[in-house]
Amino acid sequence: MTTTEPHSGGHPGDEAGVTTGFLARKLGVSPTTLRSWDRRYGLGPAARVEGRHRRWSPDDVAMMQDMCRMTAAGVPPAEAARVARRRAVPEGTGTPIGSAVEPGPPGESAAGQASSPERPSPAGRPPDGGRVSEGYGGAEGSGSGEGSGSGEVLEGTGAGRSGGGLPLGSVWQECRGLARAAVRLDAVAVQEQLTRAVTTYGLITAWEEILAPALHAVGRKWESAGDQYVEVEHLLSWHVSATLRHCYVRSSQAPGRSGDALPVVLACMPGELHTLPLEALSAVLAERGLPVLMLGGAVPAEALVATVRRIGSTAVVLWSQSRSTASLALARHLAATRWGVRGARTHTAVHVCGPGWGAAKHETQLRRPRSLRDAVTALAGDGPYGTA
């Protein structure tokens, strides 16, 4: 009977453990970060063999995943490390995984440590003056219209991938945490952070400062790296959509809502498939008590015109992510469409939203909100909807 050497690539289920490189790819951080956490906070493999590469056991991997989730949520690394090590106590040993000492980073005193290691402090509200993502009026493409800047770069994941990086620029801590979780393909952490962001800051701020910037960064990386990061973009988009739709359903089913008011029609232009900004708008409008008719992506021109005439909506929102789908002719036609009984005909206010509508800035008959907040304010002031 022969003995098989442990697989160098490693797998979380292997008895011998996984290599530092494999764990770094799994977590979406660099090997240097893992070594730094080991040196500064004692977050290293529980078992070490002299003269051999370090191997991370399943318990070690779970501890590091816990560390990543907490730092992604804005918990200071030193505090997150203490909590992660305390939680990672092998059954029956009473001894935390990792090094015997529990050092903090250079210059950190005991007075600066948290008094309750089991309850890490959540990220506080980012400072005023943080960047507001132009989720409704940025540059054409997946980006927000701002340069990637020299902000943080997140490492890529996936076997055989060298990392590449995900440039975020100047963003809130919660946005960094959400992006980190997505790059790690940590669906549980992604959903937790989305739910926390919406609950803490509300739908508008969460979208403009956290969700949209993370989506833009992932989208830019996908566009520049070919098929790489497609799984990250799909995971993040799916969970963002699920969160927004949950908010919409919860608000639209609230008691006391009137079914008599005319709905706001939300639709992507023909050929346009980016629906998430409209899903965000639908959730906010429903939260404000406004009825919404969401038609989704790539709505044919004939269907748009027929819908406006059929239901007599006083407001329609047209989303275009790129110039190729922004049809001024269709928008003008909808704005000129009259409906209602003879002698009392009225028209529909057309709001063109998205980075594809750059050519519409001189169109006086079209309204062009520049952000989700602007769109909500404009729509809440239209016709029977009252004021924001």
Side-chain angles (χ1 to χ4, degrees):
M1 183 174 179
T2 60
T3 302
T4 304
E5 287 294 320
H7 189 273
S8 61
H11 185 280
D14 289 346
E15 249 182 68
V18 300
T19 64
T20 298
F22 180 92
L23 180 58
R25 290 191 296 271
K26 178 179 178 66
L27 297 177
V29 300
S30 69
T32 302
T33 297
L34 293 181
R35 287 190 286 269
S36 174
W37 285 351
D38 185 9
R39 184 177 64 255
R40 304 178 81 185
Y41 311 124
L43 288 182
R48 303 173 189 250
V49 180
E50 287 295 332
R52 295 185 59 183
H53 291 294
R54 295 185 298 176
R55 295 282 176 168
W56 302 76
S57 71
D59 286 335
D60 297 329
V61 172
M63 176 180 66
M64 301 309 293
Q65 288 175 321
D66 200 17
M67 173 71 172
C68 286
R69 283 174 180 160
M70 284 187 284
T71 56
V75 180
E79 185 179 350
R82 285 191 292 273
V83 176
R85 291 186 66 246
R86 184 175 290 268
R87 288 174 177 170
V89 179
E91 188 174 354
T93 67
T95 304
I97 290 176
S99 304
V101 294
E102 210 170 309
E108 178 177 302
S109 64
Q113 296 179 1
S115 59
S116 176
E118 292 295 345
R119 301 178 68 83
S121 303
R125 185 178 182 85
D128 294 338
R131 182 184 57 78
V132 177
S133 170
E134 289 284 348
Y136 272 67
E140 180 179 349
S142 297
S144 64
E146 300 180 0
S148 61
S150 57
E152 179 171 345
V153 175
L154 301 181
E155 295 293 335
T157 59
R161 183 175 296 178
S162 61
L166 188 63
L168 283 168
S170 176
V171 295
W172 284 16
Q173 172 64 33
E174 288 86 347
C175 178
R176 289 194 185 93
L178 178 61
R180 285 194 189 107
V183 170
R184 293 197 311 271
L185 298 181
D186 189 339
V188 172
V190 167
Q191 190 57 59
E192 286 176 350
Q193 303 225 25
L194 288 170
T195 302
R196 185 184 301 115
V198 170
T199 302
T200 303
Y201 300 116
L203 279 166
I204 295 179
T205 300
W207 170 263
E208 293 186 339
E209 299 292 356
I210 302 171
L211 279 62
L215 287 164
H216 292 158
V218 172
R220 288 195 299 267
K221 186 61 181 179
W222 180 14
E223 288 179 346
S224 65
D227 289 335
Q228 290 191 356
Y229 284 88
V230 62
E231 73 281 9
V232 177
E233 195 275 342
H234 283 199
L235 171 73
L236 182 57
S237 295
W238 189 91
H239 280 277
V240 168
S241 178
T243 301
L244 296 173
R245 294 188 188 201
H246 172 75
C247 293
Y248 167 80
V249 171
R250 181 184 59 199
S251 298
S252 63
Q253 293 179 344
R257 292 177 62 92
S258 172
D260 299 331
L262 298 175
V264 177
V265 176
L266 309 180
C268 288
M269 293 294 287
E272 181 58 68
L273 298 176
H274 293 80
T275 63
L276 287 179
L278 289 185
E279 291 179 38
L281 180 58
S282 70
V284 179
L285 293 180
E287 189 178 64
R288 301 290 181 93
L290 276 64
V292 174
L293 182 64
M294 173 67 159
L295 299 183
V299 182
E302 298 80 3
L304 267 174
V305 175
T307 299
V308 170
R309 286 176 171 164
R310 179 178 176 184
I311 69 171
S313 175
T314 57
V316 59
V317 178
L318 305 176
W319 177 266
S320 177
Q321 186 74 18
S322 66
R323 293 183 181 88
S324 62
T325 61
S327 170
L328 281 175
L330 176 56
R332 291 171 185 145
H333 180 71
L334 287 171
T337 298
R338 297 292 186 268
W339 51 268
V341 297
R342 187 181 298 274
R345 289 176 129 13
T346 186
H347 70 282
T348 296
V350 177
H351 302 257
V352 291
C353 300
W357 291 104
K361 59 184 177 181
H362 300 304
E363 298 286 331
T364 57
Q365 73 272 42
L366 305 177
R367 306 183 186 186
R368 191 165 181 251
R370 298 290 181 154
S371 67
L372 175 59
R373 194 179 303 274
D374 288 348
V376 173
T377 300
L379 291 165
D382 274 338
Y385 301 132
T387 57

